[in-house]
């Protein structure tokens, strides 16, 4: 009986994940003996080829918070459908809490036109040409999660055809 050796590489090493810290905040909790300090880190993890996640970590030190944030971000990964011009297939809105964002595909060469945490999430997702605007809230975490909400709801042309039980030949005959 020959035992096969399992692949020693883990899932994390198969793709190159890039991590970016979006925000580190010092938070306090009032307890019986006074105030207890801790840190909250918001992180974005992506491989710049269609996978991205946002995570939050809280710990008594910054390094611990960042490590927890990376683990949380990898738990909440989503896949983003990208076009040939490294944009998104169609315009879409995203909502998380009070934050609302609008994302629209852009012409080749226009770059990532977005601000704050929205820009970080889109860059790590691998999007290179896009327009984005944050509305209502300026909360960093809610805006990052709103982008994830929008990107998770994107549909490609093929997915839309399958949902409607059509085939491509049928669409060619209509035109």
């Amino acid at each position: 009986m020959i035992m096969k050796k399992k692949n020693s590489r883990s899932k994390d090493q198969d793709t190159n994940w890039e991590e970016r810290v979006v925000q580190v905040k010092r938070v306090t909790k009032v307890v019986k003996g006074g105030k207890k300090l801790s840190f909250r880190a918001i992180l974005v993890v992506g491989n710049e080829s269609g996978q991205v996640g946002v995570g939050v970590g809280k710990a008594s030190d910054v390094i611990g918070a960042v490590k927890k944030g990376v683990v949380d971000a990898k738990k909440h990964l989503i896949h983003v459908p990208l076009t040939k011009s490294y944009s998104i297939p169609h315009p879409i809105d995203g909502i998380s809490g009070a934050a609302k964002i609008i994302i629209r595909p852009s012409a080749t060469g226009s770059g990532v036109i977005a601000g704050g945490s929205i820009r970080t999430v889109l860059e790590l997702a691998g999007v290179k040409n896009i327009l984005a605007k944050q509305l209502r809230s300026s909360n960093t975490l809610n805006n990052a999660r709103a982008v994830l909400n929008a990107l998770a709801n994107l549909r490609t042309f093929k997915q839309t055809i399958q949902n409607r039980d059509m085939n491509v030949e049928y669409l060619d005959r209509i035109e």
Side-chain angles (χ1 to χ4, degrees):
M1 183 172 164
I2 300 171
M3 301 274 287
K4 283 190 175 180
K5 194 174 186 181
K6 284 190 176 181
N7 192 355
S8 61
R9 282 189 286 162
S10 67
K11 184 181 173 186
D12 298 338
Q13 294 172 343
D14 290 345
T15 53
N16 297 337
W17 295 106
E18 188 178 331
E19 307 157 5
R20 284 198 205 159
V21 179
V22 176
Q23 183 184 61
V24 176
K25 236 181 183 174
R26 195 179 78 185
V27 292
T28 56
K29 179 182 178 183
V30 179
V31 292
K32 192 168 98 176
K35 294 179 182 175
K36 185 177 183 202
L37 283 173
S38 63
F39 295 91
R40 182 185 81 166
I42 301 172
L43 275 98
V44 180
V45 173
N47 63 358
E48 293 187 2
S49 61
Q51 286 188 308
V52 69
V54 174
V56 181
K58 286 171 82 174
S60 57
D61 61 329
V62 176
I63 296 168
V66 169
K67 285 180 182 175
K68 287 181 182 179
V70 169
V71 171
D72 188 44
K74 287 185 179 176
K75 283 181 188 173
H76 297 102
L77 285 176
I78 62 161
H79 179 73
V80 181
L82 296 174
T83 61
K84 290 178 184 174
S85 62
Y86 296 104
S87 190
I88 56 173
H90 56 86
I92 194 161
D93 295 352
I95 296 175
S96 176
K100 180 180 179 181
I101 57 139
I102 299 171
I103 303 177
R104 293 191 177 154
S106 182
T108 306
S110 61
V112 178
I113 302 170
S117 58
I118 297 175
R119 180 183 200 88
T120 308
V121 173
L122 292 172
E123 284 176 349
L124 288 180
V127 180
K128 302 226 181 343
N129 302 302
I130 199 157
L131 294 167
K133 179 69 182 156
Q134 65 187 38
L135 306 172
R136 293 198 244 174
S137 175
S138 61
N139 184 306
T140 308
L141 180 58
N142 281 347
N143 278 318
R145 286 184 174 160
V147 175
L148 276 191
N149 173 260
L151 295 176
N153 291 327
L154 284 172
R155 297 285 169 255
T156 62
F157 186 65
K158 289 180 181 178
Q159 289 172 333
T160 306
I161 289 174
Q162 288 174 353
N163 288 345
R164 296 179 185 179
D165 293 329
M166 303 169 104
N167 55 8
V168 181
E169 293 83 29
Y170 174 75
L171 291 174
D172 291 337
R173 280 184 284 170
I174 293 174
E175 295 173 354

